[in-house]
Amino acid sequence: MVSVMDAELVFWAVRADVPVLFFDSLLSFWLTERSIEELAARAQLVRWSDDETARFVFDTLTPHERILLAHLLATRSYAQNFPGVAARIDSLTRTGASHIQLCGPIVDRGALEAELSASAPDRVPDLLINLGGFQNFFLDYESHNAYLDLLHRWVTELAAAQPELRRVLVCGGAFREPVTETHGGVEIEYTMLPHKDFLRHLAHAPLYAVPPSLTSLHEAVILRKLPLLLPEQHYGHVTNLRALRGTAIGDNAASLIDLGTRFEVPEDDLEGTRALDRLTRELLSDEAEYRAFADYLNKRLADYRQLTNQERDAAVDELGGLLGGPALADLLARISDRLTPAGRTS
């Protein structure tokens, strides 16, 4: 059985004594107030106790803790590299879980590399903005969507002020129905492209901006593109950007924290995301606050555009060094046809 960050699936596989491979792209992100040793003890209870006890033990953990538990329970688990991942693997391994392996990007490397040699799309945007799927357990397209409105206003003003950006392409899950606008002679298209088409645009766009999403960073490194990191959409982006401080991409990123201490959010996935949505909404409702934000983001973009090719290449190499690891395909190829119960921590 295969589970991609679905701890519930791992729970049922283990209870049924079915081998399970677990894949996790965010191992350093998961929060826990319990020690890893306590989680390891709970993994033993989930594995060996009666059904009622196992269910109770699993259900009393937070969603983040269940992911860590899944690593301990799985037959094999694979964690995508990022700052902090190796240390987290070490802490899990010290409990006896020797089956957790660091790996490189959990992305379709073949599809990405194919786009490097593919012909350019007919109309390459001067600026490509990727807002991702955006939706999560709190953010949505209808009500908790202030971030989308904030970026829409900024992009509109940017186009009017900088006509040399002849075409701006804004991609994201919110734009299932494409919309094209023209401001100051600049065409702005909001759309959701098939992934292959998006990658082709990314491979050829001279300027790329994206929030600090790990998948987006892995894709950008493989395509040798240095992105401007846009402000945080949710709490996960806060922790991602924090881990990248001290690197070229992190130090040149746009972050709400740079606008003042009031933009610091609770160290919690849900509450931190709620706070970011509220703070983003406040930026839209206060004209002076919005102008400060827009000026700041314009400055970040201008600095990004001034980077030389050598500086961009060096920054991509630096980021690649943080994200690299054994190819997932090679790790999977080493698994025997019949999986052995290496995940057991007894």
Side-chain angles (χ1 to χ4, degrees):
M1 183 177 293
V2 173
S3 171
V4 181
M5 293 193 292
D6 186 337
E8 182 78 18
L9 187 59
V10 174
F11 172 88
W12 288 112
V14 168
R15 293 300 298 172
D17 201 26
V18 173
V20 57
L21 303 183
F22 187 60
F23 298 87
D24 183 3
S25 61
L26 301 171
L27 180 55
S28 62
F29 169 63
W30 309 118
L31 302 173
T32 177
E33 294 184 356
R34 293 179 169 89
S35 68
I36 298 299
E37 290 72 23
E38 181 180 349
L39 291 176
R42 287 176 177 251
Q44 296 291 2
L45 289 172
V46 168
R47 187 185 299 282
W48 299 117
S49 62
D50 60 85
D51 290 345
E52 183 177 355
T53 301
R55 188 72 245 182
F56 175 80
V57 169
F58 184 84
D59 287 346
T60 54
L61 297 175
T62 67
H64 282 215
E65 290 170 339
R66 293 173 194 173
I67 296 289
L68 295 173
L69 190 81
H71 278 284
L72 294 165
L73 290 170
T75 310
R76 294 276 191 275
S77 76
Y78 302 92
Q80 179 177 253
N81 199 9
F82 192 68
V85 169
R88 178 60 67 81
I89 290 176
D90 286 343
S91 68
L92 294 167
T93 300
R94 285 195 294 273
T95 69
S98 60
H99 59 282
I100 304 169
Q101 293 187 270
L102 178 75
C103 69
I106 303 180
V107 298
D108 190 343
R109 180 179 286 274
L112 285 157
E113 292 176 345
E115 296 309 322
L116 288 172
S117 57
S119 59
D122 291 338
R123 302 177 66 227
V124 177
D126 295 286
L127 171 61
L128 173 62
I129 299 176
N130 175 18
L131 299 184
F134 185 74
Q135 284 187 316
N136 63 11
F137 52 81
F138 181 75
L139 301 176
D140 58 51
Y141 301 141
E142 291 76 35
S143 55
H144 303 129
N145 58 359
Y147 188 94
L148 299 177
D149 293 337
L150 183 70
L151 266 291
H152 181 272
R153 180 174 177 185
W154 175 70
V155 170
T156 299
E157 293 181 355
L158 180 71
Q162 300 189 27
E164 71 275 12
L165 296 173
R166 298 159 298 176
R167 182 169 186 253
V168 178
L169 182 61
V170 184
C171 294
F175 313 121
R176 291 183 175 90
E177 296 296 329
V179 174
T180 299
E181 303 174 358
T182 301
H183 299 277
V186 176
E187 178 186 283
I188 308 171
E189 182 180 358
Y190 297 87
T191 188
M192 183 178 71
L193 294 174
H195 193 235
K196 180 179 176 61
D197 293 345
F198 168 78
L199 293 179
R200 181 158 298 181
H201 282 81
L202 175 56
H204 294 279
L207 302 174
Y208 179 47
V210 63
S213 156
L214 296 194
T215 297
S216 298
L217 290 175
H218 280 282
E219 290 177 342
V221 165
I222 294 171
L223 290 174
R224 302 293 303 170
K225 290 290 179 179
L226 178 68
L228 167 67
L229 296 185
L230 294 172
E232 308 88 336
Q233 292 175 346
H234 54 72
Y235 176 74
H237 290 162
V238 173
T239 62
N240 290 348
L241 190 53
R242 184 183 299 151
L244 292 171
R245 290 301 189 189
T247 67
I249 190 172
D251 291 345
N252 287 301
S255 172
L256 293 177
I257 298 299
D258 292 343
L259 299 178
T261 56
R262 81 180 188 91
F263 289 94
E264 295 176 356
V265 300
E267 297 295 335
D268 179 82
D269 200 2
L270 175 59
E271 294 308 316
T273 298
R274 286 181 187 272
L276 280 172
D277 179 68
R278 173 180 56 79
L279 291 165
T280 304
R281 199 169 302 279
E282 289 176 3
L283 283 176
L284 282 167
S285 62
D286 187 312
E287 187 61 23
E289 291 278 358
Y290 171 76
R291 288 264 57 91
F293 165 80
D295 291 344
Y296 163 75
L297 193 49
N298 289 339
K299 177 65 165 57
R300 281 296 196 227
L301 178 61
D303 291 344
Y304 166 74
R305 294 177 70 178
Q306 290 298 314
L307 294 173
T308 66
N309 290 336
Q310 286 183 327
E311 289 171 327
R312 291 169 189 265
D313 286 343
V316 169
D317 289 339
E318 180 185 37
L319 181 59
L322 296 176
L323 304 183
L328 183 59
D330 292 342
L331 293 175
L332 294 176
R334 298 172 193 167
I335 299 176
S336 61
D337 292 338
R338 185 165 180 250
L339 289 169
T340 58
R344 305 209 170 180
T345 57
S346 59

